[in-house]
């Protein structure tokens, strides 16, 4: 964590932190190594497993190295510069962003290489980017372009800003009709590349896209689209479109199909310049107990390891109105719910502190500040117990918490992860 984050004071802004820690710095609180359960933390509180985060960081570092991939994990998952730093320490090429605000956060924490997986046409953001590129010759920035109009807007704003360095761009190949962004056909991609070549403010560096948006995505359709992307890079190179580039970037990779990316990118042939095969998966750092647990490529390539879910949301039973129902004090403001409801996993006994499986307990719904639990006859649960829940979809779990305890297996809080959404 950056020094200024450790120096931030603990107060009412941060959910779940001990009331008696108010006035301590984050660093001082972390140094006390309090217990999540007996150290004064209030419920609900989101915990991030220190061991699982370290395991996941190491696993993707090894995976990228084994498959010859550069790695720019998507930072929008966590928006946590502390975690970005650990990703860079683990060999990441840079960090991927989705919107200009995220790029500004990254630069505030000194991220040297940023891949913006979007077309940037906001004039104010482009003025800031031009100034930042001119200010720091070591800063590298790459973003999508997917339209001739987008190229016109970028050029207009960069010219007006007096940009001294051209912005590196990659043509985005859309994943198919009805998918998300990107030029739909190779001919449209070529027209965008022609528009880039006609302006001095941009430099064509490669091609990119997102295979997770392929309609009816499966092993066949995803690999077919990835082969189109590689073929587009080859065709552009034959046509001399990368003449101004130092390397050719070929980029894809969400968290559901990075095995297909690794397989197809392994067949990228030698081109006129060195090739940067850039993977952008981001959800791996925390993984989850739902959506990505089902979709992770490690289910298909089990011999290469397995990710570990790192999130656990702890909430307290505040009502037990019947033998079939209970309520905890965590709801939509605290838990991801856009893909799956939380999963009740363990119960910490309010009387003894013993932890047991959450047998017979199911989360059936969320209100703003309440979790609805259905309890079968075998469920052991009373008011005051803590329920530990697994979450689905990391990208909408991190964004509900500004300061997340990093917790060891025995419940010791060793640090705090600050997010910037």
């Amino acid at each position: 964590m950056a020094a200024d984050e450790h120096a931030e004071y603990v107060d009412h802004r941060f959910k779940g932190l001990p009331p008696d820690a108010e006035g301590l710095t984050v660093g001082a609180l972390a140094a006390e190594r309090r217990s999540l359960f007996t150290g004064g933390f209030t419920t609900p509180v989101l915990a991030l497993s220190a061991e699982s985060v370290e395991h996941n960081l190491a696993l993707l570092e090894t995976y990228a190295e084994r498959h010859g991939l550069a790695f720019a994990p998507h930072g929008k998952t966590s928006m946590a510069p502390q975690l970005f730093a650990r990703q860079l320490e683990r060999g990441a090429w840079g960090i991927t962003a989705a919107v200009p605000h995220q790029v500004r956060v990254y630069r505030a924490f000194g991220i040297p290489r940023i891949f913006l997986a979007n077309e940037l046409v906001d004039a104010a953001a482009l003025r800031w980017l031009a100034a930042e590129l001119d200010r720091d010759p070591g800063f590298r920035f790459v973003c999508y372009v997917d339209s001739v109009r987008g190229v016109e807007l970028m050029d207009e704003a960069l010219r007006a800003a007096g940009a001294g360095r051209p912005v590196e761009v990659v043509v985005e190949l859309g994943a198919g009709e009805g998918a998300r962004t990107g030029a739909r056909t190779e001919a449209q991609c070529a027209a965008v590349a022609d528009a880039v070549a006609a302006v001095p403010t941009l430099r064509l560096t490669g091609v990119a896209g997102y295979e997770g948006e392929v309609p009816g995505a499966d092993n066949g359709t995803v690999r077919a689209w990835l082969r189109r992307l590689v073929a587009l890079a080859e065709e552009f190179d034959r046509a001399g479109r990368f003449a101004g580039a130092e390397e050719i970037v070929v980029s894809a990779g969400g968290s559901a199909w990075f095995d297909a990316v690794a397989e197809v990118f392994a067949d990228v042939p030698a081109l006129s310049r060195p090739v940067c095969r850039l993977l952008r998966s981001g959800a791996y750092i925390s993984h989850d107990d739902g959506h990505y647990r089902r979709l992770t490529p490690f289910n298909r390539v089990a011999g290469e390891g397995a990710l570990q879910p790192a999130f656990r949301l702890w909430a307290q039973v505040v009502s037990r109105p019947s033998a079939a129902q209970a309520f905890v004090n965590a709801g939509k403001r605290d838990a991801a719910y856009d893909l799956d409801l939380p999963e009740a996993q363990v119960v910490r006994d309010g009387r003894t502190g013993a932890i047991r499986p959450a047998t017979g307990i199911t989360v059936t719904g969320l209100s703003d500040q309440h979790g609805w639990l259905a309890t079968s006859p075998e469920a052991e649960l009373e008011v005051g117990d803590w329920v530990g829940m697994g979450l689905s979809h990391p990208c909408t779990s991190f964004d509900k918490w500004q300061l997340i305890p990093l917790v060891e297996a025995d419940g010791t809080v060793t640090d705090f992860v600050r997010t910037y959404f």
Side-chain angles (χ1 to χ4, degrees), residues 135-382:
R135 183 189 68 80
D136 182 359
F139 171 38
R140 185 174 182 193
F141 175 87
V142 180
C143 73
Y144 282 176
V145 286
D146 80 346
S147 64
V148 172
R149 176 59 176 158
V151 170
E152 292 173 352
L153 289 170
M154 292 184 75
D155 178 56
E156 178 181 309
L158 291 168
R159 283 177 185 268
R165 292 171 58 190
V167 172
E168 292 185 63
V169 295
V170 291
V171 173
E172 183 192 5
L173 174 65
E177 288 300 324
R180 206 160 64 186
T181 56
R184 292 294 190 254
T185 68
E186 282 74 3
Q188 290 170 343
C189 288
V192 175
D194 286 341
V196 171
V199 300
T201 55
L202 304 178
R203 175 182 297 152
L204 187 63
T205 295
V207 297
Y210 175 49
E211 75 291 340
E213 282 291 313
V214 170
D218 59 27
N219 282 315
T221 57
V222 167
R223 283 167 172 76
W225 179 82
L226 287 164
R227 286 191 288 271
R228 282 182 62 199
L229 185 67
V230 170
L232 183 65
E234 294 179 68
E235 175 56 34
F236 277 11
D237 192 44
R238 281 193 296 270
R241 294 186 183 278
F242 300 127
E246 294 182 4
E247 65 178 1
I248 297 170
V249 175
V250 182
S251 180
S255 295
W257 293 102
F258 55 73
D259 58 330
V261 173
E263 178 186 312
V264 175
F265 279 13
D267 294 331
V268 176
L271 300 178
S272 64
R273 285 157 178 74
V275 177
C276 176
R277 299 166 174 83
L278 190 63
L279 180 69
R280 305 193 308 271
S281 311
Y284 80 98
I285 196 163
S286 65
H287 197 44
D288 74 4
D289 279 297
H291 182 72
Y292 287 109
R293 180 178 61 191
R294 295 188 296 270
L295 295 184
T296 176
F298 287 114
N299 291 338
R300 299 185 290 269
V301 291
E304 299 215 48
L307 292 167
Q308 297 176 0
F311 276 131
R312 179 162 282 174
L313 176 64
W314 289 96
Q316 195 167 31
V317 178
V318 293
S319 181
R320 189 81 160 95
S322 74
Q325 196 175 39
F327 291 87
V328 292
N329 60 347
K332 293 178 181 178
R333 304 297 173 88
D334 314 296
Y337 60 93
D338 55 318
L339 295 178
D340 299 287
L341 289 171
E343 174 185 271
Q345 296 177 331
V346 295
V347 174
R348 186 175 188 275
D349 193 285
R351 298 177 188 271
T352 68
I355 293 178
R356 59 181 179 268
T359 304
I361 302 170
T362 303
V363 180
T364 59
L366 295 175
S367 300
D368 281 353
Q369 304 288 183
H370 290 90
W372 295 59
L373 307 184
T375 55
S376 61
E378 68 268 31
E380 296 179 57
L381 198 65
E382 67 175 349

Side-chain angles (χ1 to χ4, degrees), residues 378-402:
E378 68 268 31
E380 296 179 57
L381 198 65
E382 67 175 349
V383 171
D385 290 346
W386 286 28
V387 179
M389 295 173 284
L391 302 177
S392 181
H393 201 188
C395 300
T396 50
S397 297
F398 277 104
D399 66 3
K400 292 173 173 55
W401 296 82
Q402 291 182 293

Side-chain angles (χ1 to χ4, degrees), residues 1 54 57 61 65 82-92:
M1 185 183 283
E54 178 60 26
L57 285 165
E61 176 189 24
E65 288 176 349
Q82 177 188 359
L83 298 181
F84 300 164
R86 294 180 66 179
Q87 289 169 318
L88 293 171
E89 289 166 3
R90 289 287 189 171

Side-chain angles (χ1 to χ4, degrees), residues 20-43:
D20 68 353
E22 181 149 353
L24 293 177
T25 64
V26 172
L29 179 58
E32 291 184 355
R33 295 179 61 86
R34 296 193 187 193
S35 166
L36 185 73
F37 306 115
T38 62
F41 290 85
T42 63
T43 55

